[in-house]
Structures are given as structure tokens and as C-alpha cells.
Amino acid sequence: MVWCDMMAIHKDAPHPENALRFIDFILRPEIVIRPDFARAAELGIAHVLQGVEHKAEGFARLLSATGLQAAQTAYMGDDLLDLPVFVRVGLAGAPADSTAEVLHHAHWVSRFPGGRGAVREFVELLLTAQGRWNAIVDSFLV
């Protein structure tokens, strides 16, 4: 299982304060944007958690739902809020521009910053280690 936090504002965003206001807005209980579960299912994503305040709690829920052990999981994160999960997973990955504390605890660090290919590189690493990457690439060549 791979878990990534996908709500982010790029470091070079021209108006990060507006992005923060928008994130605050869409996370309000009366507004919260629901994930597209049909698209998630199409992509083979079985579990979508939203609005989890404490990531360790969400991680525990995922472990319970999947029956996996923490050592069987991978997680990518870039900030202090990710550390409670980082210290529990089998493989903790971080984008190149993560905080110093996250980089210190990461098992693997991407060559790329967040929002610039770090998650893709992490997924490719995992699929290559599982011996599945070449078949995926080949599927695009037919």
C-alpha cells in the first residue's frame, strides 16, 4: 500500500495565501469536496480518506481496513505533520524540498521537489522493485 498526502501548495506559488484560503474553504464540513470514488475505483484505488486531522489515526484506519502490517506500507510526505506516519511505515519517501526533519527520517528522497515528479518517481521505484514496471511500460507500446 502506498499513501500520499495530495493537498499541497507549491513553494513557488505566486499567491500562497489565496491557496491556503481555498484549501480552508473546501475542507469546511459543510463544503467539503468529496473525492471522485468512481475515478478512484477506475484507477484501482480502494481506500480514500478525506478530512483526517491526525495522519497517524488515518494510517491506523487504513491498516485496519486492509489487514496490512505497517512494515508492508510506503508513505510519501514532506512536512512535520507527516512524521507520525514516517516513523511507522516500512518505506518513508520524501520530495527533495521536504523539511529538514522529514529528510532526516526519510528512507528514500526523490531527486524532484514536491509537485514536480516526486510521487511519480516514488511509484516507479516501488513498481520496479516489485518487477512490475517494465510490463506497465510495455502496455503503453501496444
Side-chain angles (χ1 to χ4, degrees):
M1 175 180 66
V2 179
W3 182 21
C4 297
D5 179 357
M6 298 309 232
M7 181 112 11
I9 300 169
H10 195 274
K11 276 186 172 179
D12 299 329
H15 304 287
E17 64 283 351
N18 290 340
L20 285 171
R21 276 192 220 108
F22 178 71
I23 290 171
D24 287 344
F25 172 76
I26 65 172
L27 291 178
R28 289 183 191 164
E30 70 276 13
I31 302 294
V32 73
I33 296 174
R34 302 288 177 218
D36 182 349
F37 291 107
R39 179 68 176 141
E42 182 181 304
L43 294 172
I45 299 170
H47 303 279
V48 177
L49 299 182
Q50 190 171 19
V52 176
E53 188 172 338
H54 301 288
K55 293 183 181 187
E57 174 188 309
F59 182 59
R61 285 174 41 200
L62 282 172
L63 291 178
S64 177
T66 62
L68 294 172
Q69 298 297 312
Q72 296 173 287
T73 66
Y75 178 84
M76 179 170 250
D78 66 350
D79 211 340
L80 298 177
L81 295 173
D82 297 303
L83 289 176
V85 178
F86 254 56
V87 298
R88 290 173 169 82
V89 297
L91 178 63
D97 59 345
S98 300
T99 64
E101 296 83 3
V102 167
L103 293 172
H104 175 76
H105 289 284
H107 303 122
W108 177 86
V109 177
S110 174
R111 297 173 291 151
F112 304 105
R116 304 280 192 216
V119 171
R120 186 203 184 283
E121 184 183 28
F122 192 50
V123 170
E124 184 178 337
L125 170 88
L126 294 170
L127 291 171
T128 299
Q130 294 173 345
R132 298 170 52 196
W133 182 249
N134 289 337
I136 291 170
V137 172
D138 290 347
S139 74
F140 287 95
L141 299 174
V142 290

